[in-house]
Amino acid sequence: MGSLRAILKNPEDLYPLVKLKLAARHAEKQIPPSPHWGFCYSMLHKVSRSFALVIQQLPVELRDAVCIFYLVLRALDTVEDDTSIPTDVKVPILISFHQHVYDREWHFSCGTKEYKVLMDQFHHVSTAFLELRKHYQQAIEDITMRMGAGMAKFICKEVETTDDYDEYCHYVAGLVGLGLSKLFHASGKEDLASDSLSNSMGLFLQKTNIIRDYLEDINEVPKCRMFWPREIWSKYVNKLEELKYEDNSAKAVQCLNDMVTNALSHVEDCLTYMSALRDPSIFRFCAIPQVMAIGTLAMCYDNIEVFRGVVKMRRGLTAKVIDQTRTIADVYGAFFDFSCMLKSKVNNNDPNATKTLKRLEAILKTCRDSGTLNKRKSYIIRSEPNYSPVLIVVIFIILAIILAQLSGNRS
């Protein structure tokens, strides 16, 4: 019913939603027949449907390399995230994980649900990895080794300062950006981007996820693992978990806004990175998650619901981002619009208002200076349309027909 209400309120979401549904079904049909590649792509759809869809933008050889890169790092992350594994067992696995990708027999039982399946049947990933070209293997091994060592370091180390925060995010996400840049370069389709810009691409996504997932992470059992830096949250509460208590709502929102402001520091680097990409498929692969991230931050900023549940963009807007992020003009336009949305929420009484506005103004200036803002139609900020009841009824009829056809095709 929630989706139907959203479509009633935003009928223009229907077309991109249908396109997204059909694209997802098409992607599922593209799963290779061989056992190990079939497992890898099936698992990709299970652990991240959005990534499985975005990866379809890439040419086949690069797509295979990125798929394996993602699954190897997802497996590594599963080991790190499993708080039931004793530290003396976990740390050596993290440090040596880059060697296990060459072992067709290696597996380690941990995680839950689809992540447990990934770990139990990791030999499929190793087998597929060994079929990649050597330069892809070397890039994946190098990043896995560096990430595993970084994760091991933070198993026994708290995120105290913003420097710690940046270092942790570098290990778990910035290195992903470096690895992807290496894979793009190895494919011959892109120049090798600088480590600094590649790192910012990962940090912006990771910090967005850390902000959005506060409640899920703080409530994790048997033991929570949090990465909000003490240097930020200690300005507002004595213990990090106190942010979720209703009595601390005002302080919680101020802390949240501080975290969002910190994440915004990476935006200009991200725009520079994306503006240098030449290959359209790689561009879309990189740009869609970044637009989703700035959109998510715009939704999270000054929003107490981050501490009550899940805050995310509505599905229709997500579908529009995927459908309409095709050129650098689209990216500058989306970042401009979401930054304007975020700016409109800044309260001058917020302790970080001046810093937040300064960072937003810098982003808006970069977007304006691109000279591309007049080359696209905004789908984010719009005046409220006046749809007639007849049009809404017609839309529902069309939706019912499409859903019936999709259900019929499934059976």
Side-chain angles (χ1 to χ4, degrees), residues 286-304:
C286 293
I288 290 170
Q290 297 292 330
V291 173
M292 295 289 295
I294 189 65
T296 300
L297 289 183
M299 303 295 168
C300 288
Y301 184 85
D302 210 48
N303 189 346
I304 190 60

Side-chain angles (χ1 to χ4, degrees), residues 50-201:
S50 59
F51 188 83
L53 190 61
V54 174
I55 201 178
Q56 295 299 318
Q57 315 297 327
L58 299 175
V60 175
E61 182 184 276
L62 181 56
R63 183 193 312 160
D64 287 347
V66 172
C67 173
I68 298 307
F69 183 48
Y70 182 89
L71 290 178
V72 168
L73 299 188
R74 176 57 70 183
L76 182 65
D77 188 60
T78 299
V79 175
E80 186 213 19
D81 280 349
D82 192 331
T83 54
S84 68
I85 304 173
T87 299
D88 61 338
V89 174
K90 180 182 292 189
V91 169
I93 294 175
L94 293 174
I95 292 173
S96 62
F97 204 92
H98 65 286
Q99 299 171 339
H100 298 316
V101 296
Y102 289 97
D103 184 354
R104 296 177 191 266
E105 305 299 323
W106 186 86
H107 65 277
F108 180 76
S109 186
C110 65
T112 59
K113 300 178 182 178
E114 59 269 17
Y115 300 103
K116 186 177 188 307
V117 176
L118 172 63
M119 297 304 299
D120 287 342
Q121 301 187 46
F122 191 77
H123 63 279
H124 287 301
V125 180
S126 300
T127 301
F129 168 83
L130 292 170
E131 292 184 4
L132 298 175
R133 289 191 349 201
K134 197 69 177 176
H135 50 255
Y136 289 134
Q137 291 180 8
Q138 291 170 342
I140 293 171
E141 178 190 5
D142 174 59
I143 296 301
T144 305
M145 177 181 67
R146 293 161 67 182
M147 184 178 292
M151 287 178 168
K153 177 179 179 178
F154 275 89
I155 291 297
C156 306
K157 175 182 170 71
E158 295 292 325
V159 179
E160 296 285 345
T161 67
T162 52
D163 286 342
D164 292 340
Y165 185 40
D166 284 348
E167 184 183 9
Y168 172 76
C169 290
H170 165 72
Y171 287 131
V172 301
L175 285 173
V176 179
L178 270 67
L180 288 173
S181 292
K182 287 186 175 186
L183 296 180
F184 300 156
H185 181 60
S187 73
K189 294 183 178 298
E190 298 289 349
D191 295 330
L192 184 60
S194 74
D195 285 358
S196 176
L197 294 180
S198 302
N199 187 60
S200 286
M201 289 284 283

Side-chain angles (χ1 to χ4, degrees), residues 236-301:
Y236 306 97
V237 288
N238 294 320
K239 295 181 180 179
L240 184 54
E241 61 265 28
E242 292 175 0
L243 292 174
K244 68 180 179 179
Y245 301 143
E246 194 167 339
D247 290 348
N248 295 323
S249 294
K251 291 292 186 182
V253 167
Q254 290 176 355
C255 183
L256 169 65
N257 294 347
D258 203 341
M259 290 287 289
V260 172
T261 301
N262 175 279
L264 291 174
S265 65
H266 304 290
V267 168
E268 290 169 89
D269 275 356
C270 294
L271 293 172
T272 300
Y273 181 101
M274 289 183 283
S275 68
L277 294 172
R278 300 191 307 261
D279 185 86
S281 63
I282 292 175
F283 174 81
R284 274 176 54 76
F285 172 80
C286 293
I288 290 170
Q290 297 292 330
V291 173
M292 295 289 295
I294 189 65
T296 300
L297 289 183
M299 303 295 168
C300 288
Y301 184 85

Side-chain angles (χ1 to χ4, degrees), residues 366-391:
T366 299
C367 295
R368 290 191 198 98
D369 290 349
S370 72
T372 63
L373 295 184
N374 62 345
K375 297 180 181 179
R376 101 291 178 221
K377 181 180 178 182
S378 174
Y379 58 89
I380 297 164
I381 297 178
R382 58 180 175 80
S383 57
E384 287 298 319
N386 184 22
Y387 293 105
S388 71
V390 174
L391 177 59

